[in-house]
Amino acid sequence: MSVTTEPGSLGPQISLFEHALRLHQQHGDSPLPRDGEPYPDGDLHHRRRQRPRTRKDRRLDGADAAGILDMHFGKADAPPSELADAFHDVDVPIHHNEHIAAAALRADRQRVRQTGCWLVRHSTDRCSTTVGLALLATDWAEEDIPLIQTIGLLSDRFGPLAAEALRRRRGGEEALLWLAQRAAGWGRVYVIEALCGRGVYASRRWLLRHACDGDYLNGYFAGQVATAAHLHEAIVGTEVDDDLIGHTGRLLKIMADCGGMGMTLQHYPPASAVLAAHVAHLGRQAPTVSRYVDAAVGHLADKAPDRSGCTAEQRDHLVRQYLAVLDRQDWCDMVRAGLDPDSDFFSWFAGNVAERLQLRAFTDLTGDDR
């Protein structure tokens, strides 16, 4: 019978893997609340990380952990459990690291894989768990996919290496898609970037309809999704549904103003064609608050044409088309009924978007009907 203590205590704890598995069983196919925080190693980990550290060349990050691995693999009979508490006093990168990968490649492959699996499944310390996942990220055994996916649910910490490990395996796209559907925040960024970087087939439909979940971090991958999933071909094709149109609006809104994070419309070659297709579909959709807000917030009227990937003539025509939809009576009635006039968002939207665009739904409220 195992003994479990509260997070941060000095007694026995559950492994990070068991922690992720329990949370997944509780929350089904949704992202874990707070990305699974607090972790079971809790305060103990943070107290150890507060020890003074000497500044060093960042090119050496991971070298100390690699040295520990070299010593371990140099002893033929050393069990994986010897590493369970071995990495507290060294920096352990959460991304792919050349030093750790090189240490893995210097050792026997089967032993490296067994060690990685043991650390991921059994370690009660996030540093050792991270090293175990880094070892698996140098391998390609398909049978390790469920193990990697489960620890990857703690995606803020383990997402980068889980994405790297899954990307290398046959069936990796489907495995990454499973994890992307259950990740949020930075973890979602890591996994979706890995999906977009390996070639999109099985995941294309989901990426085109559900990749962006409304988090501001979506700006890091929105342009990658539009490019890798061939948004232009989809939105002008014959299988256009409400989810595709709605998500296209979200992608366009993000790419209109995500400079410094990811690709903007200015650097997306099919921008004008995608915008034209989107507004044409928008006019045939039932009005909703999210569709209204996405179309208005990502609007082109106050941007130089080239920032939206358009000529001046294309931009002006698109502006007229979008405003014609947003000023329709059914759209005006819907947004008046759907937005709470006492909310902070309403105040911001009315003062910063609606006033600038002279949107009828809001000018009517003041008696200034156009």
Side-chain angles (χ1 to χ4, degrees):
M1 178 176 177
S2 63
V3 179
T4 302
T5 61
E6 293 299 315
S9 72
L10 297 178
Q13 299 167 322
I14 65 170
S15 68
L16 274 292
F17 174 84
E18 181 66 23
H19 175 65
L21 185 60
R22 290 183 184 184
L23 289 176
H24 177 51
Q25 291 169 343
Q26 292 171 14
H27 298 282
D29 292 331
S30 300
L32 303 185
R34 301 178 303 280
D35 196 57
E37 291 278 8
Y39 292 174
D41 58 354
D43 294 340
L44 182 61
H45 171 81
H46 293 298
R47 284 198 297 271
R48 283 166 165 165
R49 299 300 288 177
Q50 289 171 3
R51 295 174 181 173
R53 296 178 184 278
T54 304
R55 289 186 177 273
K56 61 180 182 179
D57 188 337
R58 296 304 301 268
R59 292 173 297 181
L60 297 177
D61 285 356
D64 291 339
I68 294 171
L69 289 171
D70 282 335
M71 291 179 61
H72 174 79
F73 290 130
K75 297 181 288 186
D77 298 327
S81 58
E82 182 183 88
L83 296 173
D85 210 37
F87 299 97
H88 289 302
D89 296 319
V90 300
D91 290 319
V92 176
I94 67 169
H95 296 267
H96 171 79
N97 179 265
E98 293 182 359
H99 297 291
I100 294 175
L105 295 175
R106 284 191 289 268
D108 173 72
R109 180 208 163 198
Q110 193 57 34
R111 188 176 175 201
V112 167
R113 178 176 165 251
Q114 290 173 348
T115 301
C117 287
W118 190 95
L119 289 174
V120 170
R121 187 176 295 277
H122 298 291
S123 179
T124 60
D125 168 64
R126 71 188 69 184
C127 296
S128 294
T129 305
T130 303
V131 172
L133 189 55
L135 295 179
L136 294 183
T138 66
D139 200 73
W140 56 89
E142 297 170 45
E143 52 266 43
D144 298 335
I145 285 177
L147 181 73
I148 297 165
Q149 287 177 316
T150 299
I151 198 64
L153 292 168
L154 305 176
S155 58
D156 187 65
R157 169 83 188 194
F158 300 108
L161 284 169
E164 173 68 15
L166 295 174
R167 183 188 65 80
R168 292 173 54 86
R169 284 160 166 79
R170 180 178 296 178
E173 183 184 3
E174 292 82 357
L176 285 166
L177 174 59
W178 184 94
L179 190 54
Q181 293 168 330
R182 295 160 179 81
W186 276 111
R188 196 177 186 92
V189 176
Y190 303 138
V191 178
I192 290 181
E193 285 185 336
L195 267 175
C196 291
R198 76 178 308 282
V200 171
Y201 301 97
S203 60
R204 182 178 183 233
R205 182 177 179 83
W206 182 85
L207 287 171
L208 286 170
R209 290 163 176 80
H210 304 292
C212 296
D213 62 354
D215 193 296
Y216 78 98
L217 294 174
N218 294 167
Y220 283 103
F221 61 72
Q224 296 178 54
V225 168
T227 301
H230 303 290
L231 173 62
H232 171 228
E233 293 180 3
I235 198 64
V236 301
T238 58
E239 297 183 11
V240 178
D241 52 47
D242 282 353
D243 286 340
L244 174 61
I245 299 166
H247 191 259
T248 298
R250 189 175 301 168
L251 284 170
L252 292 171
K253 180 185 72 172
I254 294 169
M255 294 172 67
D257 195 27
C258 65
M261 298 178 72
M263 180 189 295
T264 63
L265 292 177
Q266 183 174 7
H267 301 290
Y268 177 54
S272 61
V274 173
L275 285 160
H278 176 254
V279 71
H281 290 302
L282 189 68
R284 295 190 290 269
Q285 286 193 294
T288 67
V289 170
S290 62
R291 290 169 185 165
Y292 187 102
V293 169
D294 284 347
V297 172
H299 216 277
L300 318 170
D302 60 343
K303 296 180 174 66
D306 65 311
R307 287 191 57 198
S308 300
C310 300
T311 65
E313 182 179 3
Q314 288 171 332
R315 191 278 308 272
D316 293 344
H317 181 62
L318 287 166
V319 167
R320 289 192 295 270
Q321 287 182 292
Y322 273 109
L323 290 178
V325 175
L326 297 178
D327 284 347
R328 276 180 8 198
Q329 189 63 50
D330 55 338
W331 284 72
C332 291
D333 293 342
M334 173 279 308
V335 78
R336 288 172 186 151
L339 283 181
D340 178 3
D342 297 322
S343 67
D344 291 339
F345 178 79
F346 182 94
S347 299
W348 172 83
F349 185 86
N352 292 276
V353 180
E355 182 177 347
R356 186 177 70 250
L357 298 176
Q358 288 294 289
L359 294 175
R360 179 185 168 202
F362 293 82
T363 57
D364 279 0
L365 294 177
T366 63
D368 184 21
D369 193 353
R370 285 191 283 145

